[in-house]
């Protein structure tokens, strides 16, 4: 059912801008052009998935915990 939800969202966001707030990093990676990582209410880093892997220790830790 998660796959169906992602597919529906993808169809509805084509050509539009919006904001997605989620703790599900798989969905965030798939649907986002830019990811903003928050820590204690502040922006810790922002960028695409690869840039965050390269530059954000917090993002890498979150991903490691998510992929366990």
């Amino acid at each position: 059912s998660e796959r169906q939800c992602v597919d529906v969202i993808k169809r509805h966001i084509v050509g539009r801008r919006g904001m997605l707030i989620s703790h599900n990093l798989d969905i965030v990676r798939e649907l986002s052009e830019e990811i903003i990582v928050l820590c204690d209410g502040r922006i810790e880093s922002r960028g695409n998935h690869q840039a965050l892997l390269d530059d954000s220790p917090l993002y890498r830790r979150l991903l490691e915990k998510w992929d366990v």
Side-chain angles (χ1 to χ4, degrees):
S1 66
E2 181 178 295
R3 175 82 263 149
Q4 290 173 329
C5 290
V6 170
D7 291 343
V8 167
I9 292 169
K10 277 180 140 177
R11 284 195 307 269
H12 283 80
I13 64 172
V14 173
R16 298 180 183 183
R17 291 185 172 257
M19 184 181 300
L20 169 71
I21 300 171
S22 178
H23 289 92
N24 184 321
L25 296 179
D26 291 330
I27 290 174
V28 169
R29 280 188 287 195
E30 188 167 346
L31 296 176
S32 302
E33 293 178 15
E34 181 181 39
I35 301 167
I36 299 173
V37 181
L38 300 175
C39 183
D40 295 325
R42 295 184 179 216
I43 295 175
E44 187 270 339
S45 55
R46 64 191 304 168
N48 65 30
H49 172 71
Q50 189 58 54
L52 292 172
L53 284 177
D54 294 342
D55 300 332
S56 173
L58 176 57
Y59 185 75
R60 285 193 302 271
R61 282 195 311 272
L62 292 170
L63 220 67
E64 288 167 5
K65 287 183 180 184
W66 180 259
D67 287 337
V68 171

